[in-house]
Every structure is written in C-alpha cells, then in structure tokens.
Amino acid sequence: MFPNLTDQNKRSIFASGLILFAANLLPMIAVWKLNWSFYDLLVLYWTEIILIGVINLFRMILVVPPDSTLGFHLLKLAFVPFFAGHFGLVCVGIGIALQIVFGKEHFEVETQIAAMLWGKSRLVFWPLVISHLFSFFWNYIGQQEFRRTTVMRRMFAPYLRVAAQTLFIIGGALVCRYLNSPMQMLLALVGGKTLVDLITHVLLHFRFMSREVGRPIITVLD
C-alpha cells in the first residue's frame, strides 16, 4: 500500500507513535488516581485540538517540495492565515458546542485551561505537548515530510484527525454523563481516544512518508 516506505521511515513512525501512546495513557492515571471527571477530559482533549492546529501552522510554513517555485511560496502566504482563521473558528465552535451540551457551569474553559498549563493538570497536558512536538521534529523535519507534501494536503490533514477525535470524545462523554461517569466508562473513553489517535497518526505519517525524497536528516537505530 505504501511501497516507498523504508525501514527507517517505519521505525520513525513507531517511535513517535510509542511516545504518543505513552502520553495518552496519563489521562487514565488522572481518572484513576486524581478522580478526573469527563469534563476534565473534555477540556484536555479540546486544548489538544488547539495544539494540533498551532503545530500544523508551522508544518504549512515549512512545506518546501523539491519542485517549489516563487508562486508556491506566494500561495503559502495566502493559505497559512486562511487555515489559522478557519481552524480557529472550528476550535471556538467546538468549545461553544461543549458548553451548550454540557453546561457552562461544568465546562469553565478559562479556569480549566489555566489548570492545564500551570495548575494540577499540567503533568497530564504537557506530555501531550511533548509527544506532538517530538512527532513534528522527528518525523516532519527529521524524515523530511516537509519535502513530501503540499500546502493543500497539509492544510486539510488535521481535520481528519480532529473530526475522528471530536466525534468519538463527544459521543463517549455523552454516554459517561448519562451513566453518571463511572470510572470504567471514563477509562474506556481514554482508551478509545488513544486508539483513534494512534490510527490517524500512523495513517497520516505513512501517507506523507510514502513519497521518496533524499536521505533523512535524522536516523533511528541506523
């Protein structure tokens, strides 16, 4: 299915997927040991969606295929701010929808985001940040994904991951709310989200790495 993938590419995807998996297990510990509710998980995953969009901006800016021209770089100047505005509206829309469905008194965005960044939840949130940054530097830069794609492909790539993740999370959260948030359901929600995240992560990287371009900058177990 992806004939141009080398063993080096596969090892690189495996390494970033392993770190992503480990970071996604931390919310399970938070549910089990810190008594997190599904509201806490919703804020965590909503904040992660914003993070995915921010990192994708840098992915778009750095896209430089071998046959790039001046016109290509001018095209980037148009599509980068367009994506920033559109994806930003999507994130705001998801946040508003969560407040409407689950109630503003439970989904207090400002307070809970502050807890994610420097409060008690930071030990769960920042490992997710690290996992996304590792994938960015290790796969996108190190394996030269930035030379194997286009601005248009890079612009639409996050929507697949975000759509799958959002639908699963909201559906699971509604079930948890209906069942009064039993720990087993919350753990199942985290496990399901982790599985969806890993599948989309692997598929997207396999797709972008399947185009042959030079020798990778970073090698893994070479």
Side-chain angles (χ1 to χ4, degrees):
M1 186 176 177
F2 299 99
N4 293 331
L5 278 178
T6 65
D7 290 339
Q8 171 66 37
N9 296 148
K10 294 174 184 177
R11 287 195 296 267
S12 181
I13 295 172
F14 176 79
S16 59
L18 189 62
I19 292 176
L20 181 66
F21 176 75
N24 271 279
L25 288 183
L26 290 177
M28 282 192 176
I29 299 175
V31 169
W32 186 27
K33 294 293 186 180
L34 303 178
N35 296 318
W36 270 32
S37 68
F38 68 89
Y39 297 112
D40 297 310
L41 291 175
L42 285 177
V43 175
L44 173 68
Y45 293 145
W46 179 67
T47 309
E48 185 186 13
I49 288 172
I50 298 174
L51 173 66
I52 290 171
V54 171
I55 292 178
N56 195 63
L57 278 176
F58 290 97
R59 293 181 191 270
M60 291 177 66
I61 292 170
L62 292 176
V63 169
V64 184
D67 55 351
S68 59
T69 62
L70 176 61
F72 173 82
H73 293 287
L74 292 175
L75 186 68
K76 283 201 295 186
L77 292 178
F79 279 105
V80 168
F82 174 79
F83 170 80
H86 187 270
F87 196 85
L89 288 175
V90 169
C91 291
V92 170
I94 293 173
I96 293 173
L98 291 174
Q99 285 193 335
I100 292 173
V101 174
F102 298 105
K104 186 177 177 64
E105 68 277 9
H106 297 293
F107 196 78
E108 297 175 353
V109 175
E110 298 84 358
T111 302
Q112 289 167 301
I113 286 183
M116 293 291 168
L117 295 177
W118 50 75
K120 64 179 183 180
S121 303
R122 68 185 185 279
L123 296 179
V124 178
F125 174 69
W126 285 107
L128 283 175
V129 176
I130 291 170
S131 73
H132 285 285
L133 289 177
F134 179 86
S135 180
F136 173 75
F137 287 107
W138 195 256
N139 292 322
Y140 198 70
I141 303 298
Q143 299 302 310
Q144 296 191 25
E145 284 186 3
F146 66 93
R147 299 186 64 200
R148 306 167 190 255
T149 186
T150 66
V151 175
M152 292 295 291
R153 287 175 181 166
R154 200 56 262 173
M155 184 172 70
F156 288 110
Y159 291 98
L160 170 64
R161 186 170 185 172
V162 167
Q165 182 173 315
T166 302
L167 290 174
F168 182 86
I169 291 169
I170 291 179
L174 287 171
V175 173
C176 289
R177 184 185 189 188
Y178 178 76
L179 297 176
N180 295 319
S181 300
M183 181 178 292
Q184 294 85 348
M185 283 301 303
L186 291 176
L187 294 175
L189 173 61
V190 176
K193 183 268 180 186
T194 301
L195 181 61
V196 170
D197 221 8
L198 278 173
I199 291 173
T200 53
H201 171 84
V202 170
L203 287 178
L204 285 173
H205 284 295
F206 267 53
R207 178 184 176 186
F208 286 122
M209 284 191 192
S210 63
R211 299 177 66 189
E212 282 285 349
V213 176
R215 179 176 173 81
I217 297 171
I218 297 175
T219 58
V220 186
L221 303 178
D222 214 6

